[in-house]
């Protein structure tokens, strides 16, 4: 984006819309939070009151946590305009970026985009925050679809850094580049994702959550112990290493053998290794120890890389108060 403070319009005053509005206002951008559903005057007042209360509560939480100076809270709130459908035509034409965040119903999305395109500037970037619909489906509702893409935010949007960006077939490279720059400028971490059901995080997350439910269903462990294992085993490691990075760290051969063992022992094809793991195994690309896996380590300082990863891990453990304590057994018995 060329403008230092682009005008952001958010269509939909639900939880996601509220969160996105807060993100941009917090970063210093003027925001118009627009509820385009037909409502009575009393209903409009109630929706806007709920949105203001939610944002104020989120900001107060950040103040209480020591992350925001109390005197700045009102400045952030003042950057957000709360608009009804009738007021939208007065503000939409000036918007540089428009985020659609209406309910996940295709007809509702279609209606929202028809409304947006009626009033939006032809230069405005338009994006959907959908977690359900393919980007090319929604792009069919947009005039000038080269300016359109999906941006899938994770809840709570005002805290979670990741935004999964899925460009449509017609999305221009300049538009995609501008969206990445915009998201990075407000402290988010955008990743590019091809049009695929579930994007990246929800797809991985669904498998992990279903497997946790199966563990409990099969009587392998209690609810409490499964969640404890996830928090202090699974979660801690993947806070510092990505999943594919972790495969390379430990060795793709370990994943290959472990996957086949689980498949055979549990009689469950869901544990079958994917073709790329089998191919990497056949080609000897088993990760860091082999010099190549999903990542290429041939020109990297492996020891330095390992040191940096472990240092981040220690920082996380220290923050959680879980660093090993020397002589802890003897101290505990005294």
């Amino acid at each position: 984006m060329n403008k230092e403070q682009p005008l952001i319009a958010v269509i939909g005053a639900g939880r996601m819309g509220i969160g996105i509005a807060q993100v941009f206002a917090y970063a210093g951008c003027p925001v118009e939070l627009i509820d385009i559903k037909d409502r009575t005057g009393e209903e409009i007042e109630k929706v806007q009151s709920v949105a203001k209360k939610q944002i104020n509560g989120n900001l107060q939480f950040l103040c209480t946590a020591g992350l925001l100076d109390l005197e700045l809270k009102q400045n952030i709130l003042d950057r957000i305009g709360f608009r009804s459908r009738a007021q939208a035509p007065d503000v939409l034409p000036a918007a540089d970026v428009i985020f659609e965040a209406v309910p996940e119903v295709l007809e509702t999305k279609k209606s929202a985009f028809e409304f947006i395109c009626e009033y939006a500037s032809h230069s405005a970037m338009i994006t959907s925050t959908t977690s359900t619909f393919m980007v090319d489906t929604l792009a069919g509702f947009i005039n000038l679809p080269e300016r359109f893409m999906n941006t899938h935010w994770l809840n709570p949007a005002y805290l979670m850094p990741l935004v999964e960006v899925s460009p449509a077939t017609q999305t221009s490279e300049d538009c995609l580049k501008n969206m990445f720059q915009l998201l990075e400028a407000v402290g988010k971490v955008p990743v590019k994702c091809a049009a695929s059901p579930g994007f990246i995080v929800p797809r991985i997350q669904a498998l992990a959550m279903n497997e946790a439910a199966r563990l409990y269903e099969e009587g392998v462990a209690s609810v409490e112990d499964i969640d404890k294992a996830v928090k202090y085993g699974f979660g801690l490691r993947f806070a510092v290493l990505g999943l594919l990075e972790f495969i390379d760290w430990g060795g793709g051969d370990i994943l290959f053998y472990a996957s086949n063992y689980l498949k055979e022992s549990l009689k469950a094809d869901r544990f079958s290794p994917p073709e790329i793991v089998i191919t990497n195994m056949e080609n000897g690309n088993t990760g860091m120890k082999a010099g190549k896996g999903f990542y290429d380590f041939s020109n990297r300082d492996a020891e330095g890389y390992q040191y940096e990863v472990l240092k981040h891990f220690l920082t996380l453990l220290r923050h959680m108060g879980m660093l090993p304590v020397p002589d802890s057994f003897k101290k505990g018995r005294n």
Side-chain angles (χ1 to χ4, degrees):
M1 299 292 297
N2 293 325
K3 294 176 67 174
E4 288 186 11
Q5 294 180 320
L7 175 60
I8 308 297
V10 183
I11 308 298
R15 182 172 62 166
M16 181 56 72
I18 288 170
I20 293 171
Q22 181 180 329
V23 166
F24 286 100
Y26 190 94
C29 298
V31 180
E32 299 291 353
L33 181 59
I34 306 170
D35 174 40
I36 62 170
K37 187 172 181 178
D38 282 320
R39 302 183 191 274
T40 65
E42 185 178 340
E43 289 171 338
I44 291 170
E45 187 176 328
K46 182 177 180 181
V47 167
Q48 293 184 357
S49 175
V50 169
K52 291 175 183 177
K53 183 177 180 181
Q54 180 65 63
I55 295 172
N56 184 70
N58 291 343
L59 294 174
Q60 185 59 48
F61 165 71
L62 294 177
C63 291
T64 302
L67 300 174
L68 176 68
D69 291 336
L70 190 60
E71 58 267 25
L72 293 177
K73 187 176 78 167
Q74 190 58 49
N75 292 343
I76 295 169
L77 287 169
D78 289 343
R79 294 184 189 122
I80 303 174
F82 297 86
R83 311 295 180 182
S84 66
R85 182 183 181 92
Q87 295 170 317
D90 297 330
V91 294
L92 267 179
D96 298 293
V97 186
I98 302 169
F99 290 92
E100 170 273 310
V102 302
E104 294 290 277
V105 178
L106 190 59
E107 279 304 310
T108 304
K109 299 282 189 189
K110 182 175 184 292
S111 176
F113 286 124
E114 288 173 350
F115 185 85
I116 290 167
C117 290
E118 183 177 355
Y119 298 105
S121 162
H122 285 180
S123 63
M125 286 195 293
I126 302 175
T127 172
S128 175
T129 64
T130 183
S131 59
T132 306
F133 299 111
M134 294 295 94
V135 62
D136 282 334
T137 299
L138 299 181
F141 304 143
I142 307 294
N143 62 4
L144 306 174
E146 60 269 20
R147 53 159 168 184
F148 178 76
M149 70 197 75
N150 281 351
T151 55
H152 178 235
W153 299 61
L154 304 182
N155 271 313
Y158 77 101
L159 292 179
M160 292 298 293
L162 188 74
V163 180
E164 298 174 319
V165 180
S166 183
T169 302
Q170 298 181 64
T171 305
S172 73
E173 286 299 320
D174 282 346
C175 187
L176 185 62
K177 178 183 176 182
N178 287 339
M179 180 56 67
F180 266 66
Q181 289 177 343
L182 174 69
L183 292 171
E184 288 168 350
V186 297
K188 296 302 176 182
V189 180
V191 293
K192 183 181 175 182
C193 176
S196 176
F199 296 87
I200 300 171
V201 172
R203 186 166 159 181
I204 294 170
Q205 191 171 262
L207 289 174
M209 291 191 295
N210 280 327
E211 201 58 39
R214 285 191 188 98
L215 284 166
Y216 174 67
E217 182 179 64
E218 295 169 7
V220 173
S222 68
V223 170
E224 293 79 9
D225 281 345
I226 291 168
D227 278 347
K228 191 180 294 185
V230 170
K231 289 177 184 177
Y232 301 112
F234 189 90
L236 277 174
R237 292 187 296 189
F238 296 121
V240 295
L241 283 167
L243 282 166
L244 299 179
E245 189 179 15
F246 186 75
I247 294 171
D248 283 352
W249 179 283
D253 51 333
I254 294 176
L255 175 62
F256 175 82
Y257 291 123
S259 297
N260 283 307
Y261 168 75
L262 289 170
K263 173 188 173 183
E264 294 167 9
S265 299
L266 296 173
K267 303 294 188 291
D269 286 341
R270 69 181 181 274
F271 289 106
S272 300
E275 192 60 40
I276 191 169
V277 170
I278 297 171
T279 301
N280 280 350
M281 182 73 174
E282 291 172 348
N283 294 336
N285 297 329
T286 54
M288 185 165 50
K289 61 188 177 184
K292 187 175 182 181
F294 288 96
Y295 291 88
D296 188 346
F297 296 90
S298 57
N299 294 315
R300 294 178 66 176
D301 175 7
E303 287 188 7
Y305 159 68
Q306 288 175 306
Y307 174 80
E308 287 301 317
V309 169
L310 290 173
K311 190 167 71 171
H312 290 316
F313 188 54
L314 288 174
T315 300
L316 178 60
L317 290 174
R318 182 181 293 112
H319 175 72
M320 297 182 68
M322 299 193 69
L323 275 178
V325 178
D327 294 332
S328 59
F329 181 75
K330 288 190 289 186
K331 292 175 182 177
R333 289 171 61 86
N334 291 336

